[in-house]
């Protein structure tokens, strides 16, 4: 039985059941395996949390992680860095993006994405999204033409996979380099092929709320030797690049070692130690996430006015969060629904909120990006809600969450200002 609070009984529509309350944390991160913690402690006790050593025989945890990530993604090269945001920046720099240059990126993404473009002193040009939260291919084509951009930094925002083969084809036709931001798609596939392997570069995150958790961390994968060598040097390898775990040959570094700046964006060896035992767990975690996702998706579809985002059957996604639209309430009613849910332990994020809150922001709230109007995108974001799916959720948790949402919606609709004309 879900726990309840007696004071939630409302006298208006009596007799009423006490309202459900969800009492577990909504944002449980993936657990860091004990073996990872033990190895990280060993590194700390030996005073060696740094990936490089002057001992040329030294094989760091970070180098081992790089080899494992290259094998996992099936890419030739993998470089571990300090965050996904920095991995995006390094990818842009390695592609030779110059100050002032236009870079295409999704209008629906997280702030570190336009932030990475700004970090490279380039100019974000926003591409709209569809109702499925994927890239609007017509808008992409139009923006490629009008902007003259050479690079598309494409987010698989909240794990929604666009038709990646179509995006890659369109980019190739116009000689646009594709960078995939896979912060929420490590372990996901489109049409059988791993996310992060459709473009020139794939970038992943190891920040606490993503699919592997070291607190902070990012990864760049590529098959391009010149990009890999530059990212390694720029990440801050000094001339110790031979200590990398999935790197190009020395001859490639000869082209770059004396002309490439060091931006010091290294992953710590302790972070790598925490991450290594997580990779083998990822498919088991994905099964748990997706079982909860399917339960929530089916339940949301039965609640009046709530519609889970439709997904392409070719997506093998990782359901670490779920998105849905609210179709029967004005903005004040959506705000009330969110308050009602939060008061009963279920935390929702809203892409239509007036101001950026917490992790959530909308493209027109990035004041450093040239203003653009994307009406179709706005129409989606205005009604779009987002909920984290913790890997720890079981069937009973999902049922309680759905009850809370159903009751919150009923309460929001009861509020006089939110009554919709039938
Ligand atoms: C989290 C996230 C990032 C940035 O990852 P960090 O490791 O926190 O820098 C980039 N893009 C998307 C879509 C994200 O969700």
């Amino acid at each position: 039985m879900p726990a309840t609070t007696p004071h939630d009984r409302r006298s208006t529509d009596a007799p009423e059941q006490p309202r459900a309350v969800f009492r577990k944390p909504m944002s449980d991160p993936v657990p860091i395996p004990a073996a990872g913690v033990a190895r990280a402690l060993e590194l700390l006790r030996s005073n060696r949390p740094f990936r490089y050593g002057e001992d040329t025989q030294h094989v760091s945890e970070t180098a081992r992680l790089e080899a494992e990530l290259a094998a996992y993604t099936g890419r030739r090269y993998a470089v571990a860095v300090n965050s996904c945001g920095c991995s995006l920046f390094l990818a842009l720099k390695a592609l030779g993006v110059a100050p002032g240059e236009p870079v295409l990126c999704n209008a629906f993404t997280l702030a570190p994405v336009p932030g990475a473009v700004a970090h490279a002193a380039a100019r974000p040009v926003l591409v709209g999204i569809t109702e499925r939260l994927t890239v609007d291919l017509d808008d992409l084509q139009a923006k490629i033409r009008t902007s003259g951009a050479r690079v598309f930094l494409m987010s698989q925002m909240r794990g929604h996979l666009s038709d990646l083969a179509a995006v890659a084809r369109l980019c190739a036709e116009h000689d646009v380099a594709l960078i995939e931001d896979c912060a929420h798609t490590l372990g996901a596939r489109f049409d059988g092929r791993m996310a992060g392997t459709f473009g020139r570069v794939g970038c992943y995150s190891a920040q606490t709320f993503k699919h592997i958790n070291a607190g902070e961390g990012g990864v760049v994968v590529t098959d391009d030797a010149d990009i890999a060598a530059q990212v390694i040097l720029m990440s801050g390898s000094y001339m110790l690049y031979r200590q990398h775990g999935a790197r190009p040959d020395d001859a490639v570094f000869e082209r770059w070692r004396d002309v490439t700046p060091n931006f010091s964006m290294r992953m710590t060896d302790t972070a790598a130690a925490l991450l290594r035992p997580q990779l083998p767990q990822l498919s088991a975690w994905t099964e748990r996430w997706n079982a909860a996702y399917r339960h929530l998706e089916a339940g949301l579809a039965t609640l009046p006015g709530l519609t889970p985002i439709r997904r392409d059957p070719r997506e093998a996604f990782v359901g670490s969060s779920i998105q849905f639209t609210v179709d029967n309430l004005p903005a004040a009613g959506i705000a009330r629904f969110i308050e009602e849910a939060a008061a009963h332990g279920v935390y929702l994020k809203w892409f239509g909120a007036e101001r950026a809150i917490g992790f959530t922001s909308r493209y027109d709230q990035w004041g450093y990006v040239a203003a653009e109007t994307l009406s179709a995108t706005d129409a989606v974001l205005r009604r779009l809600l987002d909920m984290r799916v913790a890997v720890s959720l079981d069937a009973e948790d999902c049922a309680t969450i759905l009850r809370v949402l159903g009751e919150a919606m009923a309460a929001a609709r009861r509020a006089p200002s939110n009554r919709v004309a039938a």
Side-chain angles (χ1 to χ4, degrees):
M1 270 296 283
T4 55
T5 48
H7 63 259
D8 280 326
R9 289 169 209 256
R10 302 277 150 98
S11 52
T12 44
D13 297 31
E16 221 177 294
Q17 292 284 313
R19 285 186 52 182
V21 179
F22 185 65
R23 298 199 181 276
K24 285 182 29 181
M26 293 284 292
S27 55
D28 255 351
V30 293
I32 300 171
V37 175
R39 181 67 188 128
L41 273 175
E42 240 173 63
L43 291 169
L44 291 175
R45 293 198 172 110
S46 69
N47 304 312
R48 293 289 299 269
F50 188 45
R51 68 171 295 174
Y52 300 110
E54 287 177 316
D55 161 13
T56 55
Q57 301 309 306
H58 180 67
V59 183
S60 66
E61 290 295 316
T62 318
R64 293 181 203 275
L65 175 71
E66 287 167 337
E68 289 158 2
L69 282 163
Y72 180 82
T73 58
R75 293 253 110 162
R76 224 168 278 150
Y77 312 113
V79 190
V81 298
N82 59 337
S83 75
C84 178
C86 286
S87 72
L88 301 172
F89 163 76
L90 292 169
L92 293 170
K93 294 301 281 183
L95 285 165
V97 168
E101 186 176 322
V103 172
L104 297 160
C105 63
N106 310 40
F108 178 52
T109 187
L110 215 67
V113 176
V117 180
H119 193 175
R123 186 162 56 80
V125 175
L126 304 175
V127 179
I129 52 154
T130 67
E131 285 185 344
R132 292 187 175 199
L133 310 184
T134 54
V135 174
D136 177 341
L137 292 175
D138 295 333
D139 197 42
L140 175 59
Q141 181 146 25
K143 296 283 166 61
I144 289 175
R145 292 231 171 86
T146 55
S147 70
R150 300 185 300 120
V151 177
F152 179 24
L153 174 47
M154 185 196 66
S155 290
Q156 294 155 0
M157 177 64 168
R158 290 296 193 267
H160 292 269
L161 295 161
S162 301
D163 181 339
L164 288 166
V167 171
R169 208 177 316 115
L170 190 59
C171 287
E173 274 168 19
H174 294 86
D175 221 5
V176 168
L178 176 62
I179 302 171
E180 288 174 76
D181 167 16
C182 302
H184 280 125
T185 48
L186 178 61
R189 289 169 184 274
F190 187 84
D191 222 1
R193 180 161 159 193
M194 185 149 312
T197 68
F198 286 80
R200 290 277 290 284
V201 186
C203 296
Y204 303 95
S205 178
Q207 188 242 71
T208 288
F209 294 120
K210 312 298 166 118
H211 298 171
I212 50 175
N213 169 17
E216 293 279 9
V219 181
V220 175
V221 300
T222 182
D223 278 342
D224 185 311
D226 288 296
I227 290 176
Q230 290 177 83
V231 170
I232 288 171
L233 290 162
M234 289 190 297
S235 76
S237 66
Y238 302 97
M239 292 303 144
L240 302 169
Y241 49 81
R242 286 206 179 101
Q243 292 176 26
H244 273 250
R247 68 176 183 92
D249 296 337
D250 288 358
V252 183
F253 285 95
E254 286 303 320
R255 294 204 279 278
W256 297 106
R257 49 172 279 157
D258 299 323
V259 294
T260 303
N262 173 333
F263 295 123
S264 277
M265 294 176 170
R266 294 168 294 266
M267 179 177 279
T268 63
D269 223 33
T270 36
L274 299 177
L275 293 174
R276 287 187 60 214
Q278 295 180 47
L279 265 192
Q281 305 274 348
L282 194 50
S283 63
W285 289 341
T286 298
E287 275 176 39
R288 296 197 55 163
W289 267 315
N290 288 359
Y293 182 99
R294 291 300 186 196
H295 189 150
L296 294 166
E297 182 186 43
L300 282 168
T302 67
L303 295 177
L306 301 184
T307 312
I309 296 295
R310 272 191 313 142
R311 308 197 72 139
D312 190 315
R314 291 171 292 177
E315 273 187 90
F317 58 86
V318 180
S320 54
S321 68
I322 188 163
Q323 292 70 42
F324 53 96
T325 53
V326 187
D327 304 313
N328 62 346
L329 288 175
I334 297 177
R336 176 69 185 273
F337 170 60
I338 293 167
E339 273 169 34
E340 287 283 346
H344 296 84
V346 173
Y347 300 101
L348 302 171
K349 292 158 200 166
W350 181 22
F351 285 95
E354 205 145 322
R355 300 199 70 192
I357 302 173
F359 291 110
T360 307
S361 62
R362 193 178 54 241
Y363 74 91
D364 56 345
Q365 295 161 339
W366 307 326
Y368 50 89
V369 174
E372 279 185 65
T373 305
L374 298 157
S375 347
T377 298
D378 291 342
V380 177
L381 297 184
R382 205 174 294 135
R383 299 175 297 135
L384 184 66
L385 296 187
D386 170 46
M387 185 169 79
R388 209 185 283 289
V389 177
V391 77
S392 55
L393 293 187
D394 60 24
E396 192 185 338
D397 297 333
C398 293
T400 307
I401 290 170
L402 288 167
R403 239 189 93 187
V404 169
L405 292 178
E407 289 167 355
M409 178 51 78
R413 289 170 98 183
R414 268 200 303 275
S417 58
N418 299 325
R419 293 248 161 80
V420 247

